[in-house]
Amino acid sequence: MSVPITFLKGVKTIRAAQLAKLGVYTVEDLYELYPKSYEDRSIVLKICQLEAEQSVTVRGYVKSVNVHRLNNKVSVTNLRIYDETGNMRISVFNGKYGQMQFNVGGLYAFYGKVIRDSYGVSMTNPAITECSDGSDNSFFTMQPVYPLTKGLTQNILRKTVAEALKVAPPSYETLPKAVLDKYGLLRRDVALKNLHFPASSEAAKESIRRFKFEELFTMQLMLLMLKDEEEKVQNGISFKNAEAENKISEFISALPFELTEGQKKVWREISENMDDCRAMNRLVIGDVGSGKTVLAVLAMLKAVSAGYQAVFMAPTEILAEQHYNSVSKMLSPFNIKVWLVTGALNAKEKRETLSAIESGEAKCIIGTHALIQPTVKYGRLGLAVTDEQHRFGVRQRAMLAEQANTPDVLVMTATPIPRTLALILYGDMDISALKTLPRGRLPIKTYALDYSMYKRICNWILRLVGEGRQVYMVYPIIEENEELPLHSASDRYNELSNGIFKDVRCGLLHGKMTSAQKESVMRDFKDGKIQILFATTVVEVGVDVPNAVLMVVENAERFGLAQLHQLRGRVGRGNLQSYCALFSEKITERMKIMEETTDGFELSEQDLVLRGPGDFFGVEQHGLPPFKIANLYRDTEILQLASRAAKEVLANREHFGDFLQYIRKKYPQRVQL
Ligand code: ADP
Ligand code: MG
């Protein structure tokens, strides 16, 4: 079924190597080289109608032809052409392979980008055809624009694809007929022809829709099947155990607070998974401050009380340490020693810890991803919890696969994900939403401001600092540069720490610093040694500085809602009233939304509606293979249909045996997600 690309006329070693650079080895690969866009040569305009920067076709008679030789390889042919509305210039650069011949008085069509300057309108290197009798009508159609690589031109690719469609036309279908019919999708062979050489822009759109649908549908199906299969895996662990239940009750009643309704609900969900002998793969999504850590501790306590080891992984050392401190405190009444594994351990400590992990003596282990190095051997691992690592990667999965029984996995994140996207991004996981904040937490007050308020906010910062509070100031860039007229962390730091904040302890944090430098600045801020921290967005998620009560963001128009929400979550972590001041020359819609909404889930839905620039809730960290044609930002309607179709197919799986088999083959490396 797979026809090598060299089967095509004119594709020899060199061309094949060029195509290989685009990932094209077979004719099928060539078909799936989706056009980036199209040249629509069907729009023919008169010379007087041409506007600068438009790409269109004009038809005109040649009035004069002048050839200039620029050097011995290149010459330029300058044409003057006219129609009944005016005249214009056409320049064609010719390589050493000779020049195109033009007849004065002949009628030609030119497709290209219109240039308008003081000499009038012109085109440079347009596509050209002669419009005499028997001329080529295919010129006036939609032409695909492909990604290129050195040595390939659009014309070569177009010819190669056209040749392939002729001698090895697409022969098979990749979607079930029932799905094509129900969702009104084009057949694959028709869609491929239309995708590469569409008869109209509608035809192109319909084909694109089919391939987007296919991509989202198969990915969704694969994730749902993965979840299905994992659920069938019976070599998971059941942590159901009477003694563990007692400890959990004891722990909950000893907490200095009552669990929120949301925490109770999510804990029930986790607990049920853990009782079951199928392995858990659950994602807990809860805004910053919603109290996810205590859920992790409950799960660890349950695993440990049932005689297993539990690990808790954080993305950075500071966060690991922070978790170590709070978890140790919470577990100390239960005589459970908590072990911390970071780069700060000396060789002896490290050896001792590793051997305790291997022997099973260390039951409750916290650290960074150092915990999944191959050098770390687990005696009896039962549970892995990760914080802000949205999906278990290859290494993590390999580590789990090594265990005698498949450990349960609990993933925690503060990044809310719009419901429609969660379907596909995390289709292989069960999802718990933690929607309530602990009682008594004061909502952060947010202000969208223009620079007329800057001075006043600076004075306010001085007062806050005078009262012993701390402040974050966040910038889109590290240093000022001419291309971007933006405020930067370094420049503001230099300006303000020598100006209005000269008596305040200021610090600077950005991505060009080494991780040791960053950690040390962050620690100084945490310890109160720094009062105002000027930073880029590297300020970590999840770092707890309850004394920081104000987050200032300059050039706030440069950030997406997701990022603003995450930045804002770095204050308001204690009982103090906290604030967020967003500055911009011109207050934007997004800033106003931030002013009105503190609920991350609602913001993530708004983000989907706005589809603005910048980052996007949940999409950055999803860890799925890249999409070739679908765009999660824009194709949400197709995504919803595709998800529905995937569920329908699985619900009637007995009718789709061959197709499901095909999907399994299509994603052989699916465990690498
Ligand atoms: P996050 O979800 O951001 O990880 P944490 O688990 O760090 O949140 O919790 C934030 C703070 O709220 C901690 O100081 C924690 O002790 C406290 N907390 C957690 N649950 C509750 C609750 N039900 N009532 C009051 N405070 C709580
Ligand atoms: Mg946390």
Side-chain angles (χ1 to χ4, degrees):
M1 205 156 67
S2 100
V3 180
I5 197 73
T6 45
F7 173 78
L8 300 176
K9 210 165 62 192
V11 182
K12 304 257 160 52
T13 327
I14 293 176
R15 180 83 5 110
Q18 292 164 342
L19 287 164
K21 287 223 179 85
L22 296 173
V24 173
Y25 300 92
T26 65
V27 170
E28 276 305 321
D29 294 338
L30 186 66
Y31 288 145
E32 292 188 9
L33 186 67
Y34 298 127
K36 294 186 299 184
S37 59
Y38 296 92
E39 288 178 358
D40 189 352
R41 297 185 189 164
S42 66
I43 305 168
V44 183
L45 295 184
K46 297 288 173 208
I47 292 176
C48 72
Q49 294 174 305
L50 298 181
E51 279 173 37
E53 298 297 307
Q54 266 180 328
S55 290
V56 289
T57 306
V58 277
R59 233 186 321 223
Y61 295 95
V62 172
K63 192 165 156 191
S64 63
V65 183
N66 281 301
V67 181
H68 294 286
R69 189 154 285 286
L70 299 177
N71 55 43
N72 55 17
K73 283 198 186 135
V74 185
S75 65
V76 58
T77 305
N78 288 318
L79 306 176
R80 187 120 302 263
I81 64 158
Y82 67 94
D83 65 9
E84 64 274 26
T85 70
N87 62 72
M88 68 183 287
R89 223 166 0 109
I90 305 280
S91 303
V92 185
F93 287 83
N94 308 114
K96 58 180 171 184
Y97 298 112
Q99 338 161 328
M100 187 167 170
Q101 298 301 318
F102 295 93
N103 304 318
V104 173
L107 181 61
Y108 296 83
F110 306 86
Y111 171 88
K113 196 190 224 175
V114 178
I115 304 165
R116 194 176 260 288
D117 56 23
S118 48
Y119 300 105
V121 278
S122 62
M123 279 184 188
T124 300
N125 283 337
I128 304 172
T129 191
E130 194 176 351
C131 305
S132 49
D133 302 339
S135 66
D136 182 11
N137 272 328
S138 69
F139 182 85
F140 300 94
T141 55
M142 306 262 294
Q143 294 288 319
V145 177
Y146 296 105
L148 293 179
T149 184
K150 196 159 185 284
L152 288 177
T153 63
Q154 293 298 346
N155 265 339
I156 294 171
L157 276 173
R158 286 169 192 162
K159 275 199 196 123
T160 313
V161 175
E163 165 78 6
L165 285 169
K166 208 160 69 200
V167 302
S171 55
Y172 57 88
E173 180 53 70
T174 47
L175 287 175
K177 184 161 185 314
V179 173
L180 292 178
D181 291 347
K182 175 153 188 194
Y183 292 92
L185 302 168
L186 287 180
R187 268 173 36 189
R188 184 166 181 272
D189 53 351
V190 177
L192 278 176
K193 272 184 204 144
N194 265 318
L195 184 75
H196 292 286
F197 299 106
S200 64
S201 61
E202 281 67 42
K205 271 194 203 115
E206 232 193 302
S207 308
I208 292 169
R209 176 170 176 271
R210 180 214 138 103
F211 291 108
K212 286 182 167 174
F213 184 100
E214 176 168 358
E215 188 163 47
L216 294 167
F217 169 76
T218 51
M219 179 81 79
Q220 173 80 87
L221 198 56
M222 182 272 293
L223 289 166
L224 290 175
M225 283 159 72
L226 193 59
K227 180 161 143 187
D228 236 38
E229 276 158 28
E230 279 186 357
E231 271 173 13
K232 275 191 249 122
V233 172
Q234 298 287 335
N235 85 331
I237 302 160
S238 168
F239 299 92
K240 207 176 170 76
N241 169 309
E243 196 198 336
E245 288 318 302
N246 288 339
K247 289 235 172 97
I248 297 281
S249 311
E250 212 183 306
F251 177 85
I252 292 177
S253 47
L255 281 173
F257 46 73
E258 197 190 336
L259 293 180
T260 63
E261 285 310 310
Q263 284 169 321
K264 285 182 194 161
K265 175 183 136 270
V266 176
W267 171 241
R268 271 196 303 276
E269 290 164 353
I270 296 172
S271 187
E272 266 169 34
N273 285 159
M274 291 183 75
D275 285 344
D276 200 294
C277 59
R278 286 170 296 199
M280 168 168 74
N281 188 17
R282 182 171 290 279
L283 175 68
V284 176
I285 309 176
D287 252 338
V288 174
S290 59
K292 295 183 291 294
T293 316
V294 69
L295 293 171
V297 177
L298 278 166
M300 287 193 283
L301 181 59
K302 183 163 173 132
V304 169
S305 307
Y308 286 88
Q309 286 173 306
V311 294
F312 189 1
M313 290 182 267
T316 65
E317 304 224 327
I318 295 190
L319 284 174
E321 245 172 64
Q322 186 177 297
H323 284 321
Y324 171 76
N325 291 332
S326 57
V327 174
S328 309
K329 205 153 77 196
M330 285 194 250
L331 290 182
S332 64
F334 294 87
N335 258 332
I336 297 174
K337 180 173 156 68
V338 181
W339 300 68
L340 178 65
V341 180
T342 69
L345 295 184
N346 65 33
K348 178 160 168 278
E349 290 165 333
K350 189 161 177 204
R351 213 166 37 234
E352 283 170 5
T353 310
L354 289 186
S355 94
I357 292 175
E358 185 159 8
S359 72
E361 180 201 345
K363 290 265 184 302
C364 187
I365 307 144
I366 296 181
T368 57
H369 285 74
L371 285 174
I372 50 162
Q373 298 299 325
T375 46
V376 186
K377 297 267 178 295
Y378 292 88
R380 206 169 181 231
L381 184 61
L383 172 74
V385 186
T386 63
D387 199 14
E388 291 305 335
Q389 281 294 119
H390 291 199
R391 185 183 293 280
F392 256 48
V394 185
R395 281 215 312 227
Q396 285 104 319
R397 274 184 191 270
M399 184 264 279
L400 297 182
E402 269 173 26
Q403 312 306 316
N405 292 91
T406 308
D408 279 7
V409 171
L410 184 61
V411 177
M412 302 193 304
T413 177
T415 309
I417 298 148
R419 244 171 316 129
T420 41
L421 292 188
L423 278 175
I424 186 136
L425 298 182
Y426 302 102
D428 57 334
M429 298 172 134
D430 291 314
I431 299 182
S432 293
L434 186 53
K435 292 204 173 187
T436 40
L437 284 184
R439 237 183 313 154
R441 194 70 54 75
L442 297 165
I444 300 166
K445 291 191 178 148
T446 302
Y447 306 100
L449 305 171
D450 62 32
Y451 277 93
S452 65
M453 292 292 287
Y454 198 69
K455 199 78 200 283
R456 276 172 73 178
I457 297 291
C458 286
N459 285 323
W460 181 39
I461 293 173
L462 278 181
R463 274 207 311 283
L464 286 173
V465 170
E467 290 163 15
R469 305 286 157 248
Q470 288 164 283
V471 175
Y472 290 101
M473 302 201 56
V474 172
Y475 298 84
I477 53 174
I478 301 176
E479 278 162 35
E480 255 149 58
N481 63 50
E482 273 154 27
E483 280 126 68
L484 295 168
L486 299 172
H487 297 290
S488 74
S490 293
D491 294 82
R492 274 291 205 227
Y493 167 76
N494 289 332
E495 173 195 336
L496 297 179
S497 67
N498 292 311
I500 185 165
F501 300 145
K502 64 181 183 312
D503 298 324
V504 180
R505 296 186 301 276
C506 296
L508 177 65
L509 182 73
H510 58 69
K512 278 195 189 153
M513 297 162 61
T514 65
S515 36
Q517 286 171 326
K518 279 190 280 191
E519 295 238 343
S520 132
V521 170
M522 210 51 227
R523 212 173 294 270
D524 284 349
F525 188 62
K526 210 172 161 176
D527 297 342
K529 288 183 202 151
I530 291 172
Q531 295 166 289
I532 304 178
L533 183 62
F534 292 79
T536 55
T537 52
V538 297
V539 192
E540 284 157 34
V541 198
V543 171
D544 229 339
V545 187
N547 194 39
V549 295
L550 171 62
M551 163 66 61
V552 176
V553 181
E554 294 207 46
N555 289 114
E557 77 283 356
R558 302 286 296 186
F559 299 97
L561 280 178
Q563 236 174 348
L564 290 176
H565 179 65
Q566 273 177 351
L567 287 171
R568 179 167 65 182
R570 281 149 223 197
V571 296
R573 303 180 69 92
N575 298 325
L576 301 164
Q577 175 64 57
S578 295
Y579 308 88
C580 174
L582 305 174
F583 276 101
S584 177
E585 297 295 342
K586 211 167 144 252
I587 294 170
T588 64
E589 167 124 23
R590 269 179 281 166
M591 290 163 67
K592 286 193 203 130
I593 292 175
M594 288 296 294
E595 216 170 21
E596 282 154 24
T597 316
T598 49
D599 179 332
F601 287 97
E602 200 184 318
L603 283 172
S604 75
E605 299 289 343
Q606 300 248 24
D607 202 14
L608 205 54
V609 175
L610 276 183
R611 294 165 202 195
D615 62 342
F616 209 55
F617 278 100
V619 174
E620 293 287 295
Q621 305 100 319
H622 65 71
L624 292 178
F627 293 96
K628 276 171 84 175
I629 189 166
N631 180 327
L632 290 175
Y633 300 78
R634 296 199 201 98
D635 300 327
T636 44
E637 276 142 51
I638 302 178
L639 171 59
Q640 266 164 329
L641 292 179
S643 290
R644 201 168 88 199
K647 285 186 191 133
E648 285 162 2
V649 164
L650 277 188
N652 298 293
R653 66 182 73 209
E654 63 280 10
H655 301 302
F656 295 98
D658 291 347
F659 178 66
L660 295 178
Q661 201 51 40
Y662 156 77
I663 294 292
R664 277 190 198 95
K665 280 214 201 93
K666 184 173 153 108
Y667 292 99
Q669 8 34 349
R670 64 195 197 283
V671 288
Q672 298 201 354
L673 281 182

